[in-house]
Amino acid sequence: MSVQFLRWFLAILLTLTALPAHAQSLEDLARQLPEGNFADRAQTVSAIAATADPRAVPLLEALAAGDLNVVEPTGQIVTLSSRGDPVEATDAITGDPVGEVAKASVERIRVNNSLRRAVRTAIGQLTLMSPDANTRLTAARAMFQAGDPDNVELLDEAIAEEQNPAVLQVMAEARAVAILRSDAEPVAFAEAVDTIAARGDRQALGILQAALSSADADVTPTIERGIADIQSRLALLDVGQNVWYGISLGAVLLLAAIGLAITFGVMGVINMAHGEMVMLGAYTTFLVQNFIRASFPDLFDWSLAFALPAAFLVTGLIGVAIERGVIRFLYGRPLETLLATWGLSLIIQQSVRTIFGASNREVGNPGWMSGSFDFYGIAITWNRFFIVIFALIVFAALLLVLKRTALGLQMRAVTQNRRMASSMGIRTPWVDAMTFGLGSGIAGLAGVALSQIDNVSPNLGQGYIIDSFMVVVFGGVGNLWGTLVGALTLGVLNKFLEPYAGAVLAKILLLVFIILFIQKRPRGLFAQKGRAVEA
């Protein structure tokens, strides 16, 4: 009888020990977070993720941010919504207000980097099966960053059910990273290398290089092949990125030089104050933005639309005043004109320093010009993208003025033969004034654009005046198409030289190139029929 009883007792005991332990609730697990060391807390985080409770996501996000606290007398996990003593507390799970608690009774739950990684992985596990595609994408990216081999099974389940191609791609890449950090079979390892190599960016290169340092000899050739593929693609991307940087710089040079090209071509004036017109356009933008911020803050995103005509009018009128007040008395004396405009540039700079001070002024980017986007692996910022578009619009508008308006016809006539144009009834002094005003107004537009990518200071124009003259001389004096080609050519060449020679030496090399070039073609790439023909 006793033997039979013993057998029944052992069977019951074995059955009870084989049963799974009763799952703990999210509330119970949250109360365990302050206990133990960081490794113990990481295990608790994993247990929280296993509950699949949707309330766990904000709880873990608060933990990673260092915002979780424990009320020591009660063990309740809270977040604090105020400072001082006492403090307002909110339950971290339910979001219900707890009320005021003494600051001395609250202790923050500390986290370190390893615990944050565990939290990111746990959040990824909780959100990977979300019905929202953006949530799943965020979770897959978090797992990609974590690269935890323990996530492979979870990712396999998610990949089997995923229908969104973009999310599926990121999940596959996250799985590949996890496999590369595990003891996978060579076939699976090679597939993971191919997946990461197909990504082709610098992050993928870093992942494969890290895997190569600890890989076995039998998989080393596979990793080296993937690294070589990525390096080849990155080399091409670097070329494309430099081309974009060059186009961006060329657009800036085009805006700065195009006004100089028409004044130099029509009037033959070397205007050393042209850079100051650019600077005044930037300060006009600063004043317009300050007025809009103070009076109409809701219109800030449209501030550049108001700044463009204002800058054109301000700098255009100043240009007309300079031509009528100084330059018209110095025609035919290029050296004296150069010295006079250089003196004017110093006067304008000092006047701006007196009014605005010598320090940089902040000009904000509208929301639609902030941030960047990726174009086949090439990073393009929105502000430079719109500046390129704006430069092309200004170029097209100026071409339209020259080809389709009476002022443009008279400007072309004066450029080709001033004496004949005057004898045909064209008021050449009026054409000179309007041309100088138009060139200065376009320089003001350049200042509006430059205010979005450069420091607005009294010295802003000085950084572009030499480059502007190089563009005009290289492209051909007075020829707009030559200015466009010259600006883009010099911009791209400069960006290709900078990585090897440095910014200063690159400009010196470009200057030497232009000096050698004009020895062969003194009138630039596109020779303009003008004053040289008259001689």
Side-chain angles (χ1 to χ4, degrees):
M1 189 74 177
S2 60
V3 174
Q4 188 68 22
F5 174 78
L6 182 60
R7 288 177 178 173
W8 279 105
F9 176 77
L10 290 174
I12 295 171
L13 183 62
L14 290 172
T15 302
L16 290 175
T17 55
L19 289 173
H22 178 67
Q24 291 180 290
S25 67
L26 179 62
E27 289 78 3
D28 294 336
L29 290 170
R31 289 176 179 268
Q32 295 176 19
L33 284 172
E35 300 173 2
N37 55 27
F38 291 119
D40 297 331
R41 291 174 189 172
Q43 292 180 357
T44 303
V45 166
S46 298
I48 289 174
T51 64
D53 192 321
R55 298 175 299 168
V57 174
L59 175 72
L60 294 178
E61 288 175 344
L63 174 63
D67 294 335
L68 279 192
N69 301 267
V70 57
V71 181
E72 292 183 330
T74 63
Q76 189 174 13
I77 306 301
V78 299
T79 59
L80 304 181
S81 55
S82 68
R83 295 182 179 180
D85 194 3
V87 292
E88 289 287 340
T90 303
D91 190 283
I93 298 176
T94 64
D96 297 331
V98 175
E100 293 183 343
V101 295
K103 191 174 182 179
S105 66
V106 178
E107 183 178 354
R108 186 167 66 90
I109 301 176
R110 303 181 67 83
V111 294
N112 65 358
N113 289 335
S114 63
L115 183 56
R116 287 190 182 94
R117 285 193 293 271
V119 170
R120 286 198 297 267
T121 302
I123 292 174
Q125 293 172 352
L126 285 164
T127 55
L128 203 60
M129 299 297 182
S130 170
D132 181 61
N134 289 329
T135 303
R136 298 196 304 275
L137 182 61
T138 302
R141 286 173 177 167
M143 288 196 169
F144 177 84
Q145 297 295 334
D148 190 348
D150 294 336
N151 292 334
V152 173
E153 292 184 6
L154 179 63
L155 285 165
D156 285 337
E157 295 176 8
I159 289 172
E161 298 181 7
E162 185 58 55
Q163 301 296 324
N164 187 302
V167 179
L168 187 63
Q169 177 66 27
V170 179
M171 286 181 177
E173 292 171 354
R175 181 181 182 277
V177 175
I179 288 177
L180 290 177
R181 296 177 183 176
S182 67
D183 298 326
E185 294 294 327
V187 175
F189 202 90
E191 291 176 354
V193 170
D194 291 339
T195 301
I196 298 301
R199 181 183 174 97
D201 59 5
R202 298 189 187 280
Q203 191 172 14
L205 180 62
I207 291 170
L208 291 186
Q209 288 175 337
L212 181 63
S213 63
S214 58
D216 296 332
D218 55 343
V219 296
T220 297
T222 303
I223 300 176
E224 290 176 342
R225 185 186 68 250
I227 290 174
D229 291 342
I230 293 177
Q231 288 175 335
S232 298
R233 183 174 186 272
L234 288 177
L236 291 175
L237 285 178
D238 286 341
V239 172
Q241 191 73 63
N242 281 334
V243 169
W244 165 248
Y245 287 151
I247 292 173
S248 174
L249 175 60
V252 172
L253 294 179
L254 176 64
L255 284 172
I258 196 169
L260 189 65
I262 60 174
T263 56
F264 198 11
V266 174
M267 305 167 64
V269 172
I270 302 175
N271 179 20
M272 295 300 294
H274 185 78
E276 277 54 55
M277 299 300 104
V278 175
M279 177 261 290
L280 290 175
Y283 273 97
T284 303
T285 308
F286 166 71
L287 292 175
V288 169
Q289 280 199 351
N290 278 0
F291 174 76
I292 291 177
R293 277 195 184 103
S295 304
F296 308 98
D298 293 339
L299 295 178
F300 180 79
D301 278 350
W302 295 94
S303 58
L304 295 185
F306 297 103
L308 286 172
F312 183 84
L313 288 174
V314 169
T315 54
L317 290 174
I318 292 175
V320 171
I322 291 174
E323 196 279 333
R324 290 287 85 191
V326 178
I327 292 176
R328 72 187 180 101
F329 301 109
L330 301 174
Y331 287 131
R333 293 181 284 178
L335 181 59
E336 294 177 16
T337 305
L338 187 150
L339 292 174
T341 53
W342 179 62
L344 281 172
S345 73
L346 297 179
I347 292 172
I348 294 172
Q349 283 185 49
Q350 190 56 47
S351 300
V352 170
R353 285 192 183 93
T354 303
I355 297 171
F356 297 100
S359 58
N360 296 338
R361 293 293 176 172
E362 179 187 359
V363 175
N365 288 109
W368 50 274
M369 288 187 72
S370 302
S372 63
F373 65 97
D374 184 86
F375 180 75
Y376 292 100
I378 299 174
I380 298 177
T381 55
W382 282 111
N383 56 357
R384 289 192 176 270
F385 174 78
F386 283 114
I387 286 174
V388 171
I389 300 300
F390 176 68
L392 295 176
I393 291 173
V394 171
F395 177 81
L398 190 55
L399 274 180
L400 190 65
V401 168
L402 291 177
K403 301 294 184 182
R404 294 289 185 268
T405 65
L407 174 62
L409 178 63
Q410 293 174 7
M411 287 171 58
R412 286 184 286 131
V414 172
T415 300
Q416 293 175 12
N417 195 316
R418 176 178 288 270
R419 294 176 185 174
M420 182 63 71
S422 179
S423 65
M424 294 295 292
I426 295 176
R427 294 182 297 165
T428 55
W430 180 85
V431 172
D432 289 337
M434 291 300 101
T435 300
F436 204 89
L438 178 62
S440 298
I442 294 173
L445 297 181
V448 177
L450 288 174
S451 70
Q452 300 300 297
I453 60 174
D454 208 340
N455 294 323
V456 177
S457 69
N459 299 320
L460 173 64
Q462 294 299 304
Y464 295 94
I465 184 66
I466 302 300
D467 291 336
S468 299
F469 274 110
M470 287 198 298
V471 167
V472 171
V473 172
F474 178 67
V477 176
N479 190 299
L480 293 188
W481 286 106
T483 304
L484 174 64
V485 174
L488 295 179
T489 302
L490 295 183
V492 172
L493 282 177
N494 189 70
K495 287 304 176 182
F496 271 98
L497 289 173
E498 278 185 1
Y500 306 101
V504 176
L505 184 56
K507 287 187 179 296
I508 294 174
L509 292 175
L510 282 179
L511 180 60
V512 171
F513 165 73
I514 291 174
I515 291 173
L516 295 176
F517 177 81
I518 61 177
Q519 298 301 313
K520 295 293 183 181
R521 294 182 65 90
R523 297 171 65 192
L525 282 173
F526 298 88
Q528 175 84 346
K529 293 181 179 180
R531 300 180 191 278
V533 177
E534 297 175 23

